[in-house]
Amino acid sequence: MTHLTIEPSILYVGTPVALLSTVNEDGTVNLAPMSSAWALGDVVVLGVGMTGQTAINLRSRPDVVINFPSPAQWEAVERIAGLTGRDPVPEHKQARFRFEREKFAAAGLTPVPAELVAPPRVAECLIQFEATVTHAELDAKGNFLIAQAEVLRVHAEQRIVVPGTSHVNPAAWSPLIYNFRHYFGLAEELGESFRTETPRKRV
């Protein structure tokens, strides 16, 4: 193998896409796609741009729903990728983004009430985390808000749950993956970790 030294503009080597629903100051809802989220126990760490409406909302109103779309929803995600809830649009976004208050309608997605937090869930997303931000701070360069969101309730569509358990069946669920600004689904399963809680029946 020959490795090259490169300087990519982004480092999304393949991360799940999430749709964050938050509440605006006027009580309306913002819906924003993002791909910088990872879990530690019952905390999900979110990285969002400081100038976006989501960051503004999370710093003032910590409730959030982290909705995980499947590959079938990639076009809905992309329909709102170039939209912002900020009005006026921040100067550095004006060339490529436009303001849109009704993000759910623009995406063609359906809001449904959450049970423990104020923002709605996305009905079409098979996995939804209701959460609240317990700690937030700027990243080392001051460009992003790093928010730690404690997950209060998890919703999973029945067909992806192992019957009689709280385990998601990984053979029935595939996240939408953001891979160097292209959308992918998961490929065929290669194997399983020794830590799996959903082992396959072995012959």
Side-chain angles (χ1 to χ4, degrees):
M1 290 186 290
T2 301
H3 287 80
L4 302 177
T5 298
I6 63 174
E7 298 181 356
S9 60
I10 44 94
L11 301 175
Y12 293 112
V13 296
T15 56
V17 175
L19 291 170
L20 302 184
S21 49
T22 57
V23 176
N24 297 316
E25 185 176 12
D26 62 2
T28 58
V29 175
N30 189 59
L31 185 68
M34 57 91 73
S35 53
S36 297
W38 54 285
L40 285 171
D42 62 355
V43 172
V44 176
V45 181
L46 307 170
V48 296
M50 268 301 300
T51 62
Q53 189 63 35
T54 298
I56 292 172
N57 290 346
L58 291 179
R59 296 182 87 173
S60 302
R61 293 163 295 280
D63 284 357
V64 59
V65 180
I66 308 164
N67 305 275
F68 291 96
S70 61
Q73 277 96 49
W74 82 265
E75 290 175 305
V77 172
E78 184 62 17
R79 280 194 288 271
I80 58 173
L83 306 180
T84 177
R86 290 287 307 277
D87 185 22
V89 178
E91 185 175 350
H92 72 281
K93 285 188 171 184
Q94 289 178 1
R96 302 187 69 182
F97 289 77
R98 68 174 177 83
F99 168 72
E100 175 57 61
R101 180 64 76 196
E102 301 297 330
K103 296 276 198 72
F104 271 92
L109 297 172
T110 310
V112 293
E115 296 176 357
L116 301 178
V117 298
R121 299 177 284 141
V122 177
E124 290 81 2
C125 290
L126 303 187
I127 297 180
Q128 310 145 355
F129 294 169
E130 296 186 31
T132 187
V133 172
T134 57
H135 182 77
E137 61 185 357
L138 297 182
D139 76 307
K141 294 185 176 180
N143 297 322
F144 297 93
L145 181 72
I146 301 175
Q148 298 181 37
E150 180 184 359
V151 176
L152 307 175
R153 182 152 294 174
V154 175
H155 304 272
E157 213 285 330
Q158 180 177 344
R159 69 178 179 272
I160 68 169
V161 177
V162 177
T165 77
S166 285
H167 299 313
V168 171
N169 180 356
W173 158 247
S174 173
L176 177 62
I177 299 296
Y178 196 54
N179 180 7
F180 286 100
R181 294 196 173 124
H182 290 251
Y183 297 107
F184 287 83
L186 294 184
E188 182 180 352
E189 181 182 358
L190 300 176
E192 62 188 39
S193 165
F194 78 98
R195 300 182 66 176
T196 183
E197 296 176 306
T198 54
R200 300 297 185 89
K201 293 180 179 179
R202 294 180 171 84
V203 180

